[in-house]
Amino acid sequence: MFTTGAESLLHQAREIQDEELEKFCSRINKLLQKEDFGPDTVDSLQRLFFIVSATKYNRRLEKTCVDLLQSTLCLPTCPEQLQVLCAAILREMSPSDSLTLSCDHTQNNRQLSLVASVLLAQGDRREEVRHVGQHVFKVLESRQPEGPSLRHLLPVLSKVISLAPSSLQEDQTTLFSKRLVDWLRYASIQQGLPHAGGFFSTPRTRQPGPVTEVDGAVATDFFTVLSTAQHFTEDQRLNVQAFSMLRAWLLHSGPEGPGTPDTDDKSELEGSTLSVLSAASTASRLLPPRERLREVAFEYCQRLIEQSNRRALRKGDADLQKACLVEAVLVLDELCRQEPSFLYRTLSCLQALHGRLRGDPAYVRALLPLARFFLNHGEAAAVDSEAIYQHLFTRIPSELFHNPMLAFEFIQFCRDNLHLFSGNLSILKLNFPNLFKACLLLAWNSPPLTSEFVGLLPVLVDASTAVEMLHALLDLPCLTAALDLQLRSLSAPSERPLWDTSLRIPSCMEAFRDPQFQGLFQHLLRTKASGTSERLTPLHQLLQPMASCARVVQCAEAVPILLQVFFLAVTQFADGALISHLALLLLERSDSLYQVPGYEASMHRVLSSQFLALCKLKPSLVVELAKDLLEFVGSVSDVHRRASMVTSVVWAIGEYLAVSYDRRCTAEQINKFFEALEALLFEITQCRPSATLPKCPSQVITVLMTTLTKLASRSQDLIPRVSLFLSKMRTLAQRPAASSVHSEEDTDAVHTRATELLNLLKMPSVAQFVFTPSREVCNPRYHRDTNTALPLALCTVSRLVEKEAGLLPG
């Protein structure tokens, strides 16, 4: 979210036309040609970078300007700030055919890193990635690992690995593994010297002391990311960078990595011999570079875990402890995957770590990689990890759902590790109410992140949870309001509120604490699937003051998408009984929704389309749910509010209430539905002396007329009643007063439909053929073949009725 000033600057940058940009580039060209490296040049390049980066499309710069930017970037006397700006502008223009940069003529490693960043932004159209990687390795081979500026090259190498991992040769992979071992294990444990110069500098400087731990104690072991000092040496900085890219390098150089040769270089150290050597630090020096790197990485991670148990003196160090702990567990996970001999040395350590962290909310994000470790290796180590999963899925979402980063990582963890839950999917399905809370938090903070949950939802649905999950999805806005109340009730008065303070809801807070409603709130806020459903209508009324809360409205917008995903999944396995249950539930809940602005209308559109989809899957639903459908059409009081749902139900009755779909369909049933729908149509039209078309969507009226005609074609004793009603509707649509209520398009639609239906009823056998076609007629051939197409039959009937009306009965 940008500030108003930032939005204004972005708008101005995007509105700059090409002519203005050319003039501005001409001014920059003059400055660069004069090699004027003063403040004006810096300011101009900053503005140019802002302009070219403010739009999604590439800004075209004239060739002279591009050439000058490249030459300035490679100029030895150019200040570093200008080189950084030139590289940033050229990266924004990439990919481009006008770039002529090369790594071969760079003066130092800092300049090489900037040039390489531009070349890597080009992609790999001319094998730039391989050339950059080879040049970086030449530098690594020619310099000592403690060189003064090698750390500028590590981000470049990391990018090369991600873009083209197969571009590195075997000897280069071995070389870099050796370098990583040196940087990780043998960095200095003495602090660096302060920078010389300054007014208060003295010629005599104290000898630097040892590095310390985060709790202030003197470090007695090797240097790591969590070691602290006032000044760091170059090899200590390389140590930090080496750890930051360690996991990516292990993935690249591991047994299954793209940089691994066909024959694993283990120097005939296999089986138990390798395990014995790995267990001893002295013998580990004899290992080949890759195995040696794994051993050093293991020791490094073990030390980080030990350091994370120390009480940090500064908040920044405490945050760093958490981040390093997460990364250390992920690295150990990868090490155990590559070399099983590490598993038994890691297992007891991580079990103890989980026992220490599970009660500390500050380290809750570290529980996710720990759970992944036990998912990956629990079975191989014969460890029962059920308690770990239960804690993860039960307590974390219910207690810490208000943490946005945790919610995102939690959903992502579930999605990324679905293949590991092969035998434990019941844990996910049983805890779906908790996962919904994490989904709601994603919708609170960033609605686009709901897509992360969309990929997880189909896995949570099965026959045992489908009905309860549908209730939960429909009540998500109400759950949002309840979670908001829970946050308000738990937060201390001094804490910064997480909600809209302008919304005053004392009555809702009183209801939340009222013992009378505790049972309903507990059901709504449950952590696991209960196998039952409660009518939450009382809560809808109690929480109505919160319906306009921004969080509730925002979450309500995500529900239609989730519902469509739910039905797409459930229809893949639902049997007849479940389909009937879901269809009945749609009828019941269509009139029992939390009244969020705009929510009911959008939900009715989704529910109506899904009701029709269920009926298509099981056409006998109309006969099986006859009593419920009759009750539904007989109790519709506000047709305008529920127009889409009423339209779908009425259309389904007309389409599937036929013997061809269910032999249990009787003439008595058809007559009952006819009378109910006739009463509904009469009620919404209410013929009075001043009657005109009702204030009801024309689609509802036309569907009602069509369904009544369909039913009459199947029970021909009803044809006179339908014909009389259709004649009245056609007359009402022709009255001048109709235009005051409906648009001309709507009145024409009602008049046209009534006329068409009346014409069809004049030939009952044709009407039955059109409205209840046999399965052969439904074959696509009848809609493609010009001689047998159904539209041709309808046109023929229309001509007969219009031209020879005098010869037809009635």
Side-chain angles (χ1 to χ4, degrees):
M1 185 66 70
F2 295 106
T3 62
T4 305
E7 286 282 0
S8 176
L9 288 173
L10 281 172
H11 182 73
Q12 292 176 27
R14 290 166 181 163
E15 292 298 319
I16 290 179
Q17 301 299 316
D18 291 341
E19 296 79 9
E20 299 177 77
L21 185 59
E22 284 184 18
K23 293 179 182 178
F24 185 60
C25 288
S26 299
R27 179 187 168 193
I28 293 176
N29 293 345
K30 294 177 182 178
L31 293 172
L32 295 179
Q33 285 170 348
K34 295 178 182 178
E35 295 189 7
D36 181 359
F37 301 142
D40 288 345
T41 306
V42 173
D43 180 68
S44 298
L45 289 178
Q46 287 175 338
R47 291 175 181 271
L48 181 59
F49 171 71
F50 186 68
I51 292 169
V52 298
S53 62
T55 56
K56 293 181 180 178
Y57 60 91
N58 289 339
R59 288 279 196 176
R60 291 185 178 180
L61 303 181
E62 56 180 3
K63 188 177 185 304
T64 305
C65 183
V66 174
D67 292 341
L68 284 170
L69 289 171
Q70 294 180 88
S71 60
T72 303
L73 172 60
C74 299
L75 200 63
T77 58
C78 180
E80 184 177 323
Q81 184 182 13
L82 280 178
Q83 288 180 328
V84 171
L85 285 171
C86 291
I89 295 169
L90 294 172
R91 281 198 303 270
E92 285 295 328
M93 293 179 54
S94 300
S96 172
D97 294 328
S98 58
L99 293 182
T100 58
L101 283 175
S102 172
C103 294
D104 299 332
H105 306 294
T106 53
Q107 303 296 319
N108 52 60
N109 289 343
R110 177 62 179 168
Q111 191 180 65
L112 173 59
S113 69
L114 293 173
V115 172
S117 69
V118 178
L119 293 175
L120 294 180
Q122 288 283 97
D124 200 20
R125 296 183 302 172
R126 301 173 184 172
E127 294 190 344
E128 288 95 342
V129 177
R130 190 180 68 83
H131 293 152
V132 169
Q134 297 303 316
H135 196 86
V136 169
F137 269 101
K138 285 181 182 178
V139 177
L140 287 175
E141 291 170 353
S142 62
R143 285 181 175 270
Q144 295 299 315
E146 57 272 5
S149 56
L150 284 178
R151 57 191 174 92
H152 297 304
L153 300 183
L154 293 190
V156 177
L157 186 57
S158 181
K159 189 69 173 178
V160 169
I161 296 170
S162 65
L163 291 177
S166 59
S167 63
L168 301 185
Q169 300 171 5
E170 172 61 17
D171 58 338
Q172 293 171 337
T173 303
T174 302
L175 168 68
F176 193 66
S177 294
K178 291 179 180 179
R179 292 286 189 263
L180 284 176
V181 168
D182 293 337
W183 294 331
L184 289 170
R185 190 63 179 82
Y186 302 114
S188 171
I189 58 172
Q190 295 293 318
Q191 298 191 37
L193 292 171
H195 296 291
F199 182 78
F200 294 102
S201 62
T202 59
R204 299 180 64 183
T205 307
R206 278 191 317 174
Q207 192 69 19
V211 296
T212 58
E213 304 288 1
V214 291
D215 59 357
V218 175
T220 58
D221 209 335
F222 60 90
F223 182 90
T224 70
V225 179
L226 288 177
S227 300
T228 61
Q230 289 184 337
H231 305 284
F232 291 97
T233 62
E234 190 67 21
D235 62 341
Q236 290 167 355
R237 292 188 176 93
L238 283 169
N239 178 283
V240 174
Q241 281 190 298
F243 178 66
S244 71
M245 66 178 300
L246 174 60
R247 183 157 56 99
W249 182 255
L250 288 173
L251 287 168
H252 164 75
S253 61
E256 300 174 1
T260 306
D262 294 335
T263 58
D264 195 13
D265 182 16
K266 289 189 177 182
S267 300
E268 299 180 357
L269 296 174
E270 298 290 345
S272 58
T273 306
L274 179 61
S275 300
V276 171
L277 288 174
S278 297
S281 59
T282 54
S284 66
R285 297 176 184 272
L286 305 176
L287 293 171
R290 287 179 183 170
E291 282 71 15
R292 172 66 176 150
L293 175 60
R294 292 174 195 160
E295 181 65 32
V296 168
F298 177 79
E299 294 175 2
Y300 197 100
C301 292
Q302 293 278 46
R303 172 147 165 74
L304 285 179
I305 292 174
E306 183 273 326
Q307 288 178 301
S308 69
N309 199 23
R310 296 175 179 266
R311 186 177 182 84
L313 300 179
R314 295 187 296 267
K315 183 181 183 302
D317 289 338
D319 294 336
L320 183 61
Q321 278 180 307
K322 300 167 191 173
C324 289
L325 191 58
V326 169
E327 185 66 15
V329 174
L330 291 174
V331 171
L332 288 173
D333 187 11
E334 179 60 24
L335 288 174
C336 293
R337 188 187 68 82
Q338 294 185 9
E339 180 51 69
S341 65
F342 288 112
L343 179 58
Y344 299 99
R345 301 162 62 189
T346 306
L347 200 59
S348 59
C349 170
L350 293 190
Q351 284 177 321
L353 179 64
H354 181 268
R356 174 166 65 88
L357 299 185
R358 62 178 298 169
D360 189 350
Y363 283 89
V364 67
R365 289 175 64 187
L367 293 177
L368 295 178
L370 274 172
R372 174 171 178 166
F373 178 89
F374 286 104
L375 277 173
N376 275 323
H377 309 291
E379 185 177 353
V383 175
D384 185 8
S385 307
E386 187 74 17
I388 296 175
Y389 308 146
Q390 289 295 342
H391 176 265
L392 182 70
F393 290 103
T394 303
R395 295 193 58 186
I396 290 180
S398 61
E399 297 175 3
L400 300 168
F401 65 89
H402 53 276
N403 185 327
M405 183 58 71
L406 176 62
F408 174 72
E409 292 183 352
F410 185 78
I411 295 297
Q412 199 172 42
F413 165 81
C414 294
R415 283 195 59 182
D416 294 345
N417 296 286
L418 282 176
H419 62 288
L420 300 176
F421 282 101
S422 56
N424 294 309
L425 279 177
S426 58
I427 296 177
L428 288 176
K429 295 175 181 179
L430 184 64
N431 289 279
F432 81 82
N434 262 350
L435 298 179
F436 280 4
K437 294 175 184 177
C439 170
L440 288 179
L441 188 63
L442 297 182
W444 280 357
N445 292 276
S446 181
L449 290 181
T450 308
S451 60
E452 296 292 326
F453 188 75
V454 166
L456 179 63
L457 182 58
V459 183
L460 306 179
V461 188
D462 63 11
S464 62
T465 61
V467 173
E468 185 180 357
M469 189 176 294
L470 180 54
H471 276 290
L473 285 170
L474 294 173
D475 288 324
L476 280 183
C478 191
L479 174 61
T480 305
L483 289 173
D484 202 332
L485 285 178
Q486 188 179 31
L487 282 180
R488 295 169 190 260
S489 65
L490 295 177
S491 61
S494 60
E495 292 181 359
R496 183 174 180 267
L498 303 172
W499 55 84
D500 183 6
T501 54
S502 64
L503 194 64
R504 305 298 179 186
I505 48 168
S507 61
C508 294
M509 289 299 297
E510 292 174 4
F512 186 74
R513 298 187 180 101
D514 191 338
Q516 180 182 353
F517 302 107
Q518 281 300 303
L520 290 177
F521 275 111
Q522 287 174 4
H523 175 76
L524 185 60
L525 296 170
R526 66 194 183 278
T527 59
K528 293 185 178 181
S530 63
T532 61
S533 56
E534 296 282 347
R535 300 286 292 184
L536 299 179
T537 306
L539 291 188
H540 296 171
Q541 298 169 356
L542 290 171
L543 300 178
Q544 193 56 42
M546 296 190 66
S548 59
C549 178
R551 280 181 171 177
V552 176
V553 173
Q554 198 159 312
C555 289
E557 294 173 355
V559 177
I561 300 172
L562 297 177
L563 266 182
Q564 291 176 357
V565 174
F566 167 83
F567 277 104
L568 189 63
V570 81
T571 51
Q572 302 298 318
F573 62 81
D575 56 10
L578 181 57
I579 290 175
S580 299
H581 199 160
L582 293 175
L584 184 59
L585 183 56
L586 295 183
L587 295 176
E588 294 173 352
R589 290 304 307 271
S590 65
D591 197 31
S592 180
L593 296 170
Y594 189 41
Q595 297 299 308
V596 180
Y599 177 63
E600 189 176 54
S602 62
M603 289 305 298
H604 281 170
R605 286 192 292 271
V606 176
L607 296 182
S608 60
S609 64
Q610 298 304 329
F611 180 81
L612 291 178
L614 294 178
C615 288
K616 186 175 181 180
L617 278 177
K618 187 182 178 184
S620 59
L621 271 180
V622 175
V623 175
E624 293 179 3
L625 302 179
K627 182 179 178 181
D628 302 285
L629 292 174
L630 285 170
E631 183 179 349
F632 178 84
V633 298
S635 61
V636 175
S637 55
D638 191 354
V639 177
H640 189 276
R641 184 171 62 88
R642 303 170 64 187
S644 58
M645 194 67 191
V646 172
T647 301
S648 295
V649 170
V650 172
W651 186 90
I653 292 171
E655 183 71 14
Y656 300 114
L657 188 64
V659 179
S660 58
Y661 287 107
D662 194 325
R663 294 186 178 277
R664 294 172 293 178
C665 178
T666 62
E668 182 182 0
Q669 268 188 335
I670 293 176
N671 289 340
K672 285 183 179 180
F673 274 103
F674 181 89
E675 290 172 359
L677 296 177
E678 184 184 41
L680 176 60
L681 183 57
F682 182 81
E683 181 181 346
I684 63 177
T685 54
Q686 293 186 17
C687 298
R688 296 184 298 272
S690 60
T692 180
L693 287 179
K695 293 181 180 179
C696 177
S698 61
Q699 186 180 16
V700 177
I701 300 173
T702 54
V703 169
L704 273 168
M705 291 191 303
T706 304
T707 297
L708 288 172
T709 307
K710 287 181 178 180
L711 297 181
S713 70
R714 296 164 197 164
S715 181
Q716 298 189 2
D717 294 340
L718 303 173
I719 289 179
R721 292 168 62 178
V722 177
S723 299
L724 179 62
F725 214 106
L726 292 175
S727 299
K728 290 181 180 180
M729 293 303 302
R730 184 168 59 176
T731 303
L732 287 175
Q734 289 176 318
R735 290 184 180 178
S739 59
S740 63
V741 179
H742 288 273
S743 65
E744 182 179 353
E745 184 179 354
D746 288 341
T747 56
D748 287 345
V750 174
H751 179 270
T752 302
R753 180 61 60 88
T755 303
E756 292 173 347
L757 296 175
L758 277 171
N759 289 337
L760 278 173
L761 286 178
K762 290 179 180 180
M763 301 181 67
S765 59
V766 175
Q768 187 173 10
F769 167 75
V770 172
F771 289 130
T772 314
S774 62
R775 296 188 183 275
E776 291 77 12
V777 174
C778 293
N779 190 291
R781 183 178 66 83
Y782 278 84
H783 301 273
R784 289 198 297 260
D785 193 333
T786 57
N787 296 320
T788 60
L790 188 58
L792 177 63
L794 292 175
C795 290
T796 304
V797 171
S798 298
R799 285 197 298 270
L800 286 173
V801 170
E802 292 172 2
K803 295 182 179 180
E804 304 178 19
L807 300 177
L808 297 174

